[in-house]
Amino acid sequence: MRTYLKKLFILSGLLPATFLLGLTFLFLPNQIKNLSLELDEIFVFLSMIFGICGYIGLLLSLLSKLEYKYLLKFTLLVLGVVGSVMFTTIAGGKRAWTWVLNIEEFDEWIIWVWPLIVSIVIMSLNGQKLFNKNEG
């Protein structure tokens, strides 16, 4: 039952994350085409790549075959969280963080923030398992 709930929890984050992944793939070619040496442009590009890594980390968390690949999943999820924070900070700045923290427009908020919450929880579980594995 516990595994079932965990997979359902991950799926609840993957659904809105799939929409965000679609947006990433929609804008990524243009981002690559217009990539300059400006720091903001590079960070936006990196945040998109990191976001894709986070999505892969969530997907891998669903697969039973990879249940014990804690470091791989942890790393991919960390990259996804870092990418989301980077993108929010660069693209939206203070206004975006105010929107996130005040939970304005809940339907849009859930699409943007819920995959991040799911990633942080699953990342924490993988980190705990990694720590316990290395401790013993």
Side-chain angles (χ1 to χ4, degrees):
M1 182 68 161
R2 185 175 172 202
T3 303
Y4 176 75
L5 288 175
K6 181 180 173 187
K7 289 187 181 210
L8 199 59
F9 179 65
I10 294 168
L11 280 172
S12 77
L14 271 171
L15 289 176
T18 301
F19 174 74
L20 297 173
L21 182 70
L23 288 176
T24 299
F25 284 137
L26 183 67
F27 291 106
L28 189 59
N30 192 41
Q31 188 69 28
I32 293 170
K33 190 173 78 174
N34 297 326
L35 194 60
S36 66
L37 293 178
E38 292 181 37
L39 213 49
D40 279 359
E41 292 285 323
I42 293 169
F43 282 140
V44 167
F45 173 74
L46 280 176
S47 72
M48 293 172 122
I49 299 303
F50 288 174
I52 293 169
C53 290
Y55 186 86
I56 293 169
L58 280 176
L59 273 179
L60 295 180
S61 296
L62 282 176
L63 302 177
S64 300
K65 284 184 174 182
L66 300 174
E67 185 173 336
Y68 299 105
K69 299 290 184 182
Y70 304 123
L71 182 60
L72 174 64
K73 294 183 289 187
F74 179 81
T75 303
L76 290 170
L77 291 169
V78 166
L79 288 173
V81 170
V82 168
S84 180
V85 169
M86 260 179 20
F87 188 83
T88 302
T89 302
I90 293 167
K94 184 181 177 183
R95 194 172 117 218
W97 284 110
T98 301
W99 178 83
V100 167
L101 296 173
N102 289 335
I103 311 176
E104 297 174 15
E105 302 164 285
F106 184 74
D107 52 339
E108 292 178 24
W109 183 90
I110 206 80
I111 291 171
W112 186 259
V113 180
W114 186 248
L116 191 59
I117 291 169
V118 171
S119 294
I120 290 169
V121 169
I122 300 302
M123 184 179 70
S124 299
L125 292 173
N126 284 312
Q128 182 181 26
K129 289 175 183 175
L130 263 174
F131 182 75
N132 290 341
K133 182 179 162 185
N134 289 333
E135 193 176 76

